[in-house]
Amino acid sequence: MYRAPVDEIAFTLKHVCGLDDLQKSASHQDLADDLVDAILSEAGRFAAEEIAPLNAVADQHGTPLADGKVTTPPGWRELYRAWIEGGWNGLTASPEAGGQGLPMMLSAAALEMWNSGSMAFAIGPTLTMGAVDALEKHASPDIKAKYLEKLVSGEWMGTMNLTEPQAGSDLNALKARAERNEDGTYRIFGQKIFITYGEHDLTDNIIHMVLARLPDAPAGTKGISLFLVPKFLVNDNGSLGKRNDVRAAGVEHKMGIHGSPTCTMVYGDEGGATGWLIGEENRGLACMFTMMNNARLAVGIQGLGVAERAYQHALNYAVERRQGKAPGDKGEGMSPIARHPDIKRMLLAMKARTQVARAICYACAHAIDMANVAEDDTARRFWSERASLLTPIAKAIPTDFGVEVASLGIQIHGGMGFIEETGAAQFLRDARIAPIYEGTNGIQSIDLVMRKLPMSDGAHVKGFIAELRAIADEVKASNRPEFGATAERLAASLRDLEEATDYMLTAQAEGRIADALSGATPYLRVAGLALGGALLAKGALRSAGEPAARLADRTLLARNFCETTLGETAGLKSDILLSAQSIQAFDAEAQAS
Amino acid sequence: MYRAPVDEIAFTLKHVCGLDDLQKSASHQDLADDLVDAILSEAGRFAAEEIAPLNAVADQHGTPLADGKVTTPPGWRELYRAWIEGGWNGLTASPEAGGQGLPMMLSAAALEMWNSGSMAFAIGPTLTMGAVDALEKHASPDIKAKYLEKLVSGEWMGTMNLTEPQAGSDLNALKARAERNEDGTYRIFGQKIFITYGEHDLTDNIIHMVLARLPDAPAGTKGISLFLVPKFLVNDNGSLGKRNDVRAAGVEHKMGIHGSPTCTMVYGDEGGATGWLIGEENRGLACMFTMMNNARLAVGIQGLGVAERAYQHALNYAVERRQGKAPGDKGEGMSPIARHPDIKRMLLAMKARTQVARAICYACAHAIDMANVAEDDTARRFWSERASLLTPIAKAIPTDFGVEVASLGIQIHGGMGFIEETGAAQFLRDARIAPIYEGTNGIQSIDLVMRKLPMSDGAHVKGFIAELRAIADEVKASNRPEFGATAERLAASLRDLEEATDYMLTAQAEGRIADALSGATPYLRVAGLALGGALLAKGALRSAGEPAARLADRTLLARNFCETTLGETAGLKSDILLSAQSIQAFDAEAQAS
């Protein structure tokens, strides 16, 4: 069972993450509050009633491959049809292509709920949206005319083909090749692995976005081009033509998201798959990054979605299950375990992490939207930098939290949590991929430290920290005893973040790259925790007009997170400052030999 | 592939955890160093060559139940036979019963390696050893004569039957019942769940140890008796008689340890299973605790065993897999990922946690052994208290670390980590049960805070902290720059532990039970981390006579752990002191409604 937390989502969008900034913009002035509420409530209904009941079925069934065909789990074809008929696939695509032109913030909110329903289902359309994004920004008018509308409607789905066995995090090593045909098309050859929804039975055609090298391309990532390779060639009248030379050679047996077919794709076994260039030759990586940045946020939202579902699942169990007697419980018989302090500790940790993940994801979506609607260069630059700063945090923190929350959920279930039928284990098995794909969280940390902190000579990150400090000051000034030590703990974590930031900027300025890389992972966590604490506190501060119970809930949550989890930052800061030496002195290869 | 770390295990036993104390005792004076080395090396060989290759097979095959019979994975019957023929089953049992009478320290070391080989395999014999322990201490001479030798040799296996659907952590709710027969035997009725190796094909007979209530028993845990219920009745000449009225009604579909059959056992469907009382009527829980305390350490060792295996697996991958270019790497082409600082950070975290888990488990085994060999009341009391103090820590920290290490191992493998064939995912799926069973880690924390800290009016835990402080002082006095900030960080964590201990003792003295319970989990972690840091440092200090590379390795590991992970304790201490208020104010039931 899943209940879409529509009210909390709406509050977070409106009062924590600045949806009103967008509503004031020329691009989204029609986005009235009641339209927002209607979209959220309908997306939530679809997630809870249509998607969520099929999540466990898909886990058990998987996506078997036979004779080159992948069968999706029972009920998924009907689910997908209902999904596209609801118009959900084109939320953010431009109205010209048949989309609804809604901001990323709303799409992020809807995506959260769909991922709570089923991460394995929601990931498919996410990739199609990435393909739409790349085509809208980089494809020729002919290509757009042929593919865009059907991808936006969801009649066809899209994929991203980057990874090869030897080229995972490092795309320099990419080997798939493309040869020019006389007619301007290309012949594509090579093997791609880990291709999500590379083959399936949900749509009649599948549009693969494939990275490959031309024969005369420069080495490394500057010699990579992006091609569109449809499963079935498309005639000029839009009907399907002959089968292209691409096939699924295998489906992976994974720890989780069993409903999502992860395929090995083979291109060009029979003379070459026909492909069309997207953007310019050798500039494919730039096109791919368009898709990847939004995909990083989308993966963060997977962590968030699974966390919310796992929290609800554990909460329901804790209220029903009775064992022992909680201190002070005067009721009959055994207490619901939800009354035991140690269980409450875990539930609070789950709830706070989920809400932090939500606020960080929506804040990142807000920055992306603001960059898109900006009307002058200063604003565009500011919000682009903010989106760049937040993207690695919004990918890594919610996905780490997804794993932590799902694992706590298992713990609350006790022995039942280890039994698959209970459902709690699936959340951990599903969530565990999110810190890995779309750039591992280690790579996100490196991106944050090496590429994002130095933006505007460090001025952007410092301004960001100052904004967070203003929230801590506001908590302090509010003088509400219910906040406990929130203001002090938040201020302390922000000092840790500031100190760690200075260390990172100095290390890079002095060319101590290995020092910066050694501390990147704890640095990202400090930044994410401090940001999370500030956003929870902001939620409590902005709840003044809300019902008293909501205000009390949000204050309690901010307080608990700041008094418990934020305590990590002091240790992490020391870690960043101290551990580079031992890490660099560690000769892992000598250990193995 | 698994290589038994026999040298590190031997060093930890001898130079960190005090095996020499035992060798000086009257009970174990024959335990020469070369005998220790021979046992370790042969146990390691068996684990690496015989057990480890069957771990993945068992994961895939599981233990299907059909017509009341459970089939163990291919190769397991032969493996079990080789195991008992090697005499491994009776390591710690008394020589009178055919055992080898070895101390728990050696058994712990061997058990570590068997769990590295396969946790699902090693858990079976662990339960038999628990049954042996209970029978040796509490059974009548007749029962001993009939069952002990065959359980010690491993010809038969044993089980523990505690849990029922409504009685998990809280055994007060236990309902299984026993009725007296005229002949002094009992008829047992009821259903037990989560019974490890409750049914299988490894041995001809299975000896169930079952908790049940007599008709006139007092309510609660003071009315529980322990019964021996064999699968097949045993004739006076030792041959098997008729089938007893007990059967496996189901095998659970679990997240991990698929090779270990987890059964629902039904007693008395056809008139009552014949059982024999062990110990006195209504005193069953005391007998069961004999088994459970050692079982808690054994579960800690599962976490350790899986951690070591996951570390080796990730290390081997990191050395082979090449991606990108590590800073300062002057080699050709891509670097082994083992050279990237972020990967080295993770490998160090895995290695340090594994070694901490090892040292804590062996220290706990040492305390149990010392209590057993003590020749006067003072020593016996001291070491009993030490074993009591360390048992919850030795259960919880290594099992939490097992999960953390296995999860880091997946992360190091990147996308491959999520693919089941890689093997990394199995370690996390297997390890995830260990923080739950034999008393959840939350219950271990409550046991530590509520029952163990108050021992000798708090004097025991304070003496324990003083011992750890002496290690920090010794690090400082050593003046070795290679230790970095080890001494300072360790001293700081010990101050955190001291302050948190005072808080807990005061809270209990003032009757603020809910406050103590609210902070129990972070308290156990502070204690475990501080102990772990001290034991790593001790290892480095005692390596002075070892090869230079070993000294350098151990110093680096202690330093890295103290400079990174020990940083957690400051935040955890604040958590303990601050969070009780928000936890108690949290009304989880209101959240669910």
Side-chain angles (χ1 to χ4, degrees):
Chain A
M1 204 191 73
Y2 163 68
R3 287 199 311 181
V6 171
D7 288 349
E8 201 57 33
I9 288 174
F11 175 85
T12 308
L13 287 172
K14 293 174 190 172
H15 303 293
V16 181
C17 296
L19 182 67
D20 52 336
D21 296 340
L22 288 176
Q23 292 169 313
K24 286 177 212 143
S25 75
S27 312
H28 296 298
Q29 53 191 355
D30 297 339
L31 190 67
D33 271 1
D34 53 355
L35 175 60
V36 169
D37 293 340
I39 293 170
L40 294 178
S41 133
E42 189 49 31
R45 193 204 60 74
F46 193 91
E49 295 177 13
E50 310 281 334
I51 308 177
L54 292 175
N55 192 40
V57 177
D59 184 56
Q60 288 146 28
H61 183 272
T63 58
L65 170 75
D67 301 329
K69 293 187 200 310
V70 167
T71 310
T72 53
W76 274 34
R77 285 172 60 90
E78 297 73 18
L79 173 62
Y80 184 77
R81 199 158 314 277
W83 157 273
I84 59 174
E85 281 167 9
W88 294 116
N89 201 63
L91 273 194
T92 56
S94 68
E96 303 86 69
Q100 302 186 39
L102 288 171
M104 187 72 73
M105 286 189 86
L106 272 182
S107 158
L111 192 56
E112 174 199 320
M113 296 186 272
W114 299 328
N115 272 300
S116 290
S118 170
M119 179 171 155
F121 178 79
I123 192 176
T126 303
L127 287 157
T128 304
M129 290 174 201
V132 165
D133 222 20
L135 294 183
E136 284 202 309
K137 294 215 174 64
H138 304 287
S140 69
D142 282 2
I143 296 277
K144 284 189 190 176
K146 219 165 189 173
Y147 295 96
L148 210 44
E149 203 177 304
K150 284 179 171 146
L151 284 168
V152 168
S153 72
E155 184 177 337
W156 298 341
M157 286 177 77
T159 73
M160 286 168 71
N161 289 241
L162 290 77
T163 305
E164 300 173 10
Q166 79 294 345
S169 300
D170 184 354
L171 289 175
N172 281 290
L174 193 132
K175 282 183 189 162
R177 58 199 177 80
E179 291 179 8
R180 297 181 186 89
N181 290 326
E182 298 283 320
D183 64 356
T185 63
Y186 296 78
R187 294 188 305 286
I188 313 293
F189 303 89
Q191 194 196 65
K192 295 285 180 178
I193 60 169
F194 299 163
I195 307 308
T196 300
Y197 280 81
E199 178 57 50
H200 58 77
D201 57 6
L202 297 183
T203 56
D204 297 335
N205 205 1
I206 302 172
I207 311 306
H208 303 292
M209 308 295 288
V210 185
L211 290 184
R213 280 183 199 287
L214 288 161
D216 49 4
T221 55
K222 287 184 177 139
I224 295 175
S225 306
L226 178 64
F227 299 91
L228 179 152
V229 184
K231 175 176 169 185
F232 285 96
L233 300 187
V234 179
N235 298 320
D236 286 341
N237 66 0
S239 65
L240 295 187
K242 83 176 177 65
R243 184 74 163 79
N244 205 349
D245 184 8
V246 47
R247 64 185 174 87
V251 165
E252 302 289 357
H253 177 219
K254 306 189 299 297
M255 185 183 187
I257 53 168
H258 293 164
S260 164
T262 303
C263 302
T264 298
M265 301 303 294
V266 175
Y267 291 85
D269 255 8
E270 295 168 9
T274 306
W276 283 263
L277 183 70
I278 303 299
E280 293 171 45
E281 288 188 350
N282 300 331
R283 299 289 304 276
L285 213 61
C287 305
M288 213 64 175
F289 266 114
T290 305
M291 296 165 67
M292 280 173 61
N293 258 328
N294 293 352
R296 288 178 171 185
L297 171 58
V299 170
I301 293 170
Q302 295 182 330
L304 159 60
V306 176
E308 173 67 35
R309 180 91 181 254
Y311 167 66
Q312 292 190 18
H313 204 265
L315 178 64
N316 290 338
Y317 183 80
V319 167
E320 296 294 326
R321 172 74 172 168
R322 289 171 177 268
Q323 285 290 278
K325 197 80 175 174
D329 190 350
K330 305 276 188 266
E332 282 274 308
M334 297 192 285
S335 306
I337 63 169
R339 289 184 198 158
H340 287 290
D342 194 59
I343 301 287
K344 296 212 277 184
R345 160 179 293 279
M346 290 191 274
L347 287 170
L348 271 169
M350 295 174 80
K351 186 174 159 74
R353 277 167 171 68
T354 303
Q355 180 59 20
V356 162
R358 178 175 291 132
I360 289 178
C361 287
Y362 297 178
C364 181
H366 174 256
I368 294 169
D369 285 329
M370 291 299 284
N372 285 335
V373 306
E375 285 168 16
D376 62 66
D377 284 350
T378 311
R380 191 171 302 112
R381 179 181 174 149
F382 176 86
W383 287 111
S384 296
E385 291 197 343
R386 179 57 53 92
S388 294
L389 182 74
L390 291 181
T391 294
I393 301 173
K395 196 274 174 173
I397 292 287
T399 56
D400 281 345
F401 279 8
V403 172
E404 293 170 26
V405 168
S407 193
L408 284 166
I410 290 177
Q411 194 68 23
I412 286 177
H413 283 82
M416 290 304 295
F418 200 60
I419 308 300
E420 287 290 357
E421 283 78 358
T422 307
Q426 187 191 343
F427 302 134
L428 178 58
R429 289 189 292 94
D430 286 353
R432 189 60 193 83
I433 186 58
I436 295 174
Y437 59 17
E438 285 308 317
T440 65
N441 286 1
I443 284 177
Q444 303 303 323
S445 302
I446 292 168
D447 175 55
L448 175 64
V449 165
M450 303 301 288
R451 282 197 284 261
K452 307 304 172 62
L453 294 190
M455 291 184 304
S456 294
D457 284 331
H460 189 86
V461 66
K462 287 182 180 171
F464 169 72
I465 297 172
E467 290 174 35
L468 303 184
R469 202 182 301 111
I471 297 173
D473 292 344
E474 199 180 332
V475 174
K476 190 168 188 335
S478 78
N479 259 327
R480 291 181 48 216
E482 298 84 358
F483 268 122
T486 302
E488 293 74 18
R489 302 305 310 228
L490 188 51
S493 287
L494 289 166
R495 283 193 298 274
D496 293 331
L497 175 58
E498 213 158 16
E499 202 176 327
T501 304
D502 288 342
Y503 170 87
M504 284 297 184
L505 289 169
T506 306
Q508 288 183 69
E510 294 176 357
R512 293 183 286 113
I513 303 306
D515 285 0
L517 293 174
S518 298
T521 289
Y523 179 83
L524 186 146
R525 188 150 176 117
V526 171
L529 293 182
L531 170 60
L535 292 175
L536 287 185
K538 188 175 175 186
L541 290 166
R542 299 293 174 270
S543 297
E546 299 262 316
R550 292 269 171 81
L551 169 64
D553 272 3
R554 295 202 186 101
T555 308
L556 181 74
L557 203 64
R559 175 184 184 166
N560 181 265
F561 186 79
C562 291
E563 290 181 351
T564 62
T565 311
L566 270 199
E568 284 183 30
T569 63
L572 292 169
K573 183 205 66 183
S574 312
D575 179 345
I576 294 162
L577 269 55
L578 291 171
S579 68
Q581 222 171 322
S582 61
I583 289 172
Q584 287 161 50
F586 180 61
D587 183 350
E589 288 160 284
Q591 301 289 320
S593 58
Chain B
M1 203 190 73
Y2 163 67
R3 288 199 309 182
V6 170
D7 288 350
E8 201 58 34
I9 288 174
F11 175 85
T12 307
L13 287 172
K14 293 175 190 171
H15 303 293
V16 181
C17 296
L19 182 68
D20 51 336
D21 296 339
L22 287 177
Q23 292 169 314
K24 285 176 214 144
S25 75
S27 313
H28 297 297
Q29 54 192 353
D30 298 339
L31 191 66
D33 271 0
D34 54 355
L35 175 60
V36 169
D37 293 339
I39 293 170
L40 293 178
S41 135
E42 189 49 31
R45 193 204 61 73
F46 193 92
E49 294 177 13
E50 310 282 335
I51 307 178
L54 292 175
N55 193 38
V57 176
D59 184 56
Q60 288 145 30
H61 183 273
T63 58
L65 170 75
D67 301 328
K69 292 187 201 307
V70 167
T71 310
T72 53
W76 274 34
R77 285 172 60 90
E78 297 74 16
L79 172 62
Y80 183 77
R81 199 157 315 275
W83 158 274
I84 59 174
E85 281 167 8
W88 294 116
N89 200 62
L91 272 194
T92 55
S94 69
E96 304 85 70
Q100 303 186 39
L102 289 170
M104 185 72 72
M105 287 189 86
L106 272 182
S107 157
L111 192 55
E112 174 198 322
M113 296 186 273
W114 299 329
N115 273 300
S116 290
S118 170
M119 179 171 156
F121 178 78
I123 192 177
T126 302
L127 287 158
T128 304
M129 291 174 201
V132 166
D133 222 20
L135 294 183
E136 284 202 308
K137 294 213 175 66
H138 304 287
S140 68
D142 282 2
I143 295 278
K144 285 189 189 176
K146 219 165 190 173
Y147 295 96
L148 210 44
E149 201 177 306
K150 284 180 170 144
L151 284 168
V152 168
S153 71
E155 184 177 337
W156 297 342
M157 286 177 77
T159 73
M160 284 167 72
N161 290 240
L162 289 77
T163 306
E164 300 173 10
Q166 78 296 344
S169 300
D170 184 354
L171 289 175
N172 281 290
L174 194 133
K175 283 184 190 162
R177 59 201 176 78
E179 291 180 9
R180 297 181 186 90
N181 289 327
E182 300 281 321
D183 64 357
T185 63
Y186 296 78
R187 295 188 305 283
I188 312 293
F189 302 88
Q191 193 196 66
K192 294 286 180 177
I193 60 169
F194 300 164
I195 307 309
T196 299
Y197 280 82
E199 178 58 49
H200 57 79
D201 57 7
L202 297 182
T203 55
D204 297 334
N205 206 1
I206 303 173
I207 311 305
H208 304 291
M209 308 296 285
V210 185
L211 291 184
R213 280 185 199 287
L214 288 162
D216 48 4
T221 55
K222 288 184 177 138
I224 295 175
S225 306
L226 177 64
F227 299 91
L228 179 153
V229 184
K231 176 177 168 185
F232 286 96
L233 301 186
V234 180
N235 298 321
D236 286 340
N237 65 1
S239 64
L240 296 187
K242 83 175 177 68
R243 185 74 163 77
N244 206 348
D245 183 8
V246 48
R247 63 185 174 87
V251 165
E252 302 290 356
H253 175 219
K254 305 188 300 296
M255 185 183 188
I257 53 167
H258 294 164
S260 164
T262 303
C263 302
T264 298
M265 302 302 294
V266 175
Y267 291 85
D269 254 7
E270 295 169 9
T274 306
W276 284 263
L277 183 71
I278 303 299
E280 294 171 45
E281 288 188 350
N282 300 331
R283 299 291 305 274
L285 213 61
C287 305
M288 213 65 176
F289 267 113
T290 305
M291 297 165 67
M292 279 172 62
N293 259 328
N294 292 353
R296 287 178 171 185
L297 171 58
V299 170
I301 292 170
Q302 296 182 329
L304 159 61
V306 176
E308 173 66 36
R309 179 93 181 254
Y311 168 67
Q312 292 190 18
H313 204 264
L315 178 64
N316 290 339
Y317 182 80
V319 167
E320 295 295 326
R321 172 74 173 169
R322 289 172 177 267
Q323 286 288 277
K325 198 79 176 174
D329 189 350
K330 306 276 189 265
E332 282 273 309
M334 297 192 285
S335 307
I337 63 169
R339 289 185 198 158
H340 288 289
D342 194 59
I343 301 288
K344 296 212 277 185
R345 161 179 291 280
M346 289 191 275
L347 287 170
L348 272 168
M350 294 174 80
K351 187 175 158 73
R353 277 166 173 68
T354 303
Q355 180 58 23
V356 163
R358 178 175 291 132
I360 289 179
C361 287
Y362 296 179
C364 181
H366 173 255
I368 294 169
D369 286 329
M370 291 299 283
N372 285 336
V373 305
E375 286 169 16
D376 61 67
D377 284 351
T378 312
R380 190 171 304 112
R381 179 180 173 148
F382 176 86
W383 288 111
S384 296
E385 291 197 343
R386 180 57 52 92
S388 295
L389 182 73
L390 290 181
T391 294
I393 300 174
K395 196 275 174 172
I397 292 286
T399 55
D400 280 345
F401 279 7
V403 172
E404 293 170 26
V405 168
S407 194
L408 284 166
I410 290 178
Q411 194 69 20
I412 286 176
H413 282 82
M416 291 303 296
F418 201 60
I419 308 300
E420 287 289 357
E421 283 78 358
T422 306
Q426 186 190 343
F427 302 134
L428 178 57
R429 290 189 292 95
D430 285 354
R432 189 60 192 83
I433 187 58
I436 295 175
Y437 59 16
E438 285 308 318
T440 65
N441 286 2
I443 285 176
Q444 303 303 323
S445 303
I446 292 168
D447 175 54
L448 175 63
V449 165
M450 304 301 289
R451 282 197 282 262
K452 307 304 172 61
L453 295 191
M455 290 182 306
S456 294
D457 283 331
H460 190 87
V461 66
K462 287 181 182 172
F464 169 71
I465 297 172
E467 289 174 36
L468 303 184
R469 202 182 302 110
I471 297 172
D473 292 344
E474 198 179 333
V475 174
K476 190 168 192 318
S478 78
N479 260 328
R480 292 181 47 218
E482 298 83 358
F483 268 123
T486 303
E488 294 74 15
R489 301 305 310 228
L490 188 50
S493 287
L494 289 166
R495 283 192 298 274
D496 294 331
L497 175 59
E498 213 160 15
E499 202 176 326
T501 304
D502 287 340
Y503 170 88
M504 285 297 184
L505 289 170
T506 306
Q508 287 183 69
E510 295 176 355
R512 292 183 286 113
I513 303 308
D515 285 0
L517 294 175
S518 298
T521 288
Y523 178 83
L524 185 146
R525 188 150 176 116
V526 171
L529 294 181
L531 170 59
L535 292 175
L536 287 185
K538 187 174 176 188
L541 289 165
R542 300 293 175 268
S543 297
E546 300 263 314
R550 291 268 171 82
L551 170 63
D553 272 5
R554 295 202 185 101
T555 308
L556 182 74
L557 203 64
R559 175 184 183 166
N560 180 266
F561 186 79
C562 291
E563 290 181 351
T564 62
T565 311
L566 270 199
E568 284 183 30
T569 62
L572 292 169
K573 183 204 67 183
S574 311
D575 180 344
I576 295 162
L577 270 54
L578 292 171
S579 68
Q581 220 172 323
S582 61
I583 289 172
Q584 287 160 49
F586 180 61
D587 183 350
E589 288 160 284
Q591 301 288 321
S593 58

